[in-house]
Amino acid sequence: MTDKDHTQGWSGGPVCPVPLTNHTTVQLAHGSGGRMSAELVAKFFQPRFGNPFLDRLEDQAVLPRPAGRLAFSTDTFVVDPLFFPGGSIGDLAVNGTVNDVCMSGATPLYLSAGFVLEEGLPLATLHRILLDMEKAARQAGVAIVTGDTKVVPRGSCDKIFINTTGLGTTPDGLVLSAASLAVGDQIILSGTLADHGMAVMTCRQGLSFQASIASDTASLHGLVAAMLVAGPPRAMRDPTRGGLAATLNEFARSSGQGLVVERGLIPVRPEVAAACEILGIDPLTVANEGKLVAVVPPQIAGAMVAVMRRHPLGREAAVIGTVVGVHPGLVAVKNGLGVAQVLEMPLGEQLPRIC
Amino acid sequence: MTDKDHTQGWSGGPVCPVPLTNHTTVQLAHGSGGRMSAELVAKFFQPRFGNPFLDRLEDQAVLPRPAGRLAFSTDTFVVDPLFFPGGSIGDLAVNGTVNDVCMSGATPLYLSAGFVLEEGLPLATLHRILLDMEKAARQAGVAIVTGDTKVVPRGSCDKIFINTTGLGTTPDGLVLSAASLAVGDQIILSGTLADHGMAVMTCRQGLSFQASIASDTASLHGLVAAMLVAGPPRAMRDPTRGGLAATLNEFARSSGQGLVVERGLIPVRPEVAAACEILGIDPLTVANEGKLVAVVPPQIAGAMVAVMRRHPLGREAAVIGTVVGVHPGLVAVKNGLGVAQVLEMPLGEQLPRIC
């Protein structure tokens, strides 16, 4: 393959850039801080993420004075496998942190990216992941402005871990807090549950129905911006690890209120429900990567669902429950017969390395 | 051991807090986002880092509108061993990122912390590391305001990796840039070289002289604040991975200027020099974690060295070289006989997992 072939691929295609100093895999020297580190940054990271802040190549980005309070959130991504139906660790690393920033009502602006690479990782794999990060960042309207790369010897980590830390600005008047939930508030879910967790799990297990299940990984910044027009929710959260069950229990605990949801109102795709059934998993405890739960005062609930349904990521938005004046701090889930059971905070790990 | 014994140790001593649900090591369930995750946060992280931003337990910290531009920097720490003479991964994780923020002239304010824990890590080890982070953050005057914890199965990472991302504010008029170096500028080093790298390396190799060599890990925020009184440097950088050789080469490349330093003016502790000699390593290429290099206009060089020497972390500050009008983009080092050699950008990795 000639340099020209590589260069063609480089401008966005799946072909990996010219190997560094004839290596096709990550070497320990790529994390040295020396010449090979500089080459990795120049050939792999800068062409994907380049922007005036990053291109200074200083040890920090210096960013303009923001026009509001700051929202600041961090997440490390260790998902296994790296690529799964609907996305990759690269998509998750951008969307996951963007969503955590958004859930405060903030506009996400900047990301940092910290990579831990295992010696021997194919550079072509790194390239595919960086292409996904580039695309996700563009869609989310954020710039990756500062970064770090470490390389550890073979066996000291599993292929690649990515930390992203996000910064956004929150308008001065806007204060969302799970502690502010009030009796009568409506609980709104933006769409189907358990797509991400079951996509990763069925992919990992090699189950035959995997082709029809795809991760919902997406940046929720646009949906959140649309929602704020209907009025501020009391609180918003994206139900990732631990699923809806963990999020609702966090809301109940922080507010000291009781929450009731109806299972029949919670959308789950048939193929996802089937996979959950086979594996003996409750979809309410499974991780999502492109959904949000909002608790809103009753008088704006109708308008909120309406604006959400007009957005591509909120088409199946629905009120799924209510904040109630009984069983403080607990979440109840009602089945089709109207029988209520406590929805517990999940205890432990059913799906390690799901994100 | 009773609960009371644990509680006594908890308030700052080295005794580990009450084991979680009778576990003494990290379990996969501690990363689930469920009940055991919440318990880990409540018993281990909050008591060490607690502050009003973190204690909201939302997915993001919402911080007051800052009084200037932002400095934003990220670093992941994978040092091996976790504890070494003079410090630990906990100290490095705070000081390393604080220093990267400071090098822009910024005042560091906030850190995020993202942990990847290996299943089976003793909780007592995690506790010791968090105590070190708590102490280092207090000394640096920064608050750890948001965080994330992932647990990966045994063998998928080596014990613990920590990402920290830092935020600080930079006064509006202050713009430091390696691109701004001018002929005649003086190159100032704040103290002895190679202490951190050789402390980790001799500790790892079990060399007998290790006791006398200790890491220089320290937060440079106070030294930087003192230096700004003497006037703004053109640029500052902390010579970590790749050492002084990498930093000077970055300066030369960014500015297009030539740099000359004199080896005889660069302080190295005798025991560190001896260890470098035995291992065949040039101290100019070894990582430091509590030193900085500043390039300053000649008219303020004397005042700069004077203010630095009055600070505990700058007692051995000295002018070690000059920006020159020849060999653009290259760094030369002069030996005792006045003979100059090119000081190369280090190529690769001599000390993997040094930070």
Side-chain angles (χ1 to χ4, degrees), chain A residues 35 59-60 73 100 241 346, chain B residues 35 59-60 73 100 149 346:
Chain A
R35 216 178 329 149
D59 287 344
Q60 73 297 117
S73 188
D100 281 343
R241 278 181 296 175
Chain B
R35 214 173 339 143
D59 286 342
Q60 72 298 116
S73 186
D100 280 343
T149 307

Side-chain angles (χ1 to χ4, degrees), chain A residues 31-32 35 58-61 63 65 70 72-73 75-76 100 148-150 156 158 172 237 241 346 349, chain B residues 31-32 35 58-61 63 65 70 72-73 75-76 100 148-150 156 158 172 237 241 346 349:
Chain A
S32 64
R35 216 178 329 149
E58 300 280 348
D59 287 344
Q60 73 297 117
L63 307 168
R65 182 196 290 244
L70 294 173
F72 185 43
S73 188
D75 226 330
T76 308
D100 281 343
D148 175 57
T149 307
K150 293 293 189 309
S156 299
D158 187 17
D172 276 334
R237 208 164 282 186
R241 278 181 296 175
E349 188 67 47
Chain B
S32 64
R35 214 173 339 143
E58 300 280 350
D59 286 342
Q60 72 298 116
L63 307 168
R65 180 197 290 245
L70 295 172
F72 185 43
S73 186
D75 225 330
T76 308
D100 280 343
D148 174 58
T149 307
K150 293 293 190 308
S156 298
D158 187 16
D172 276 333
R237 207 162 282 185
R241 278 181 296 175
E349 189 67 50

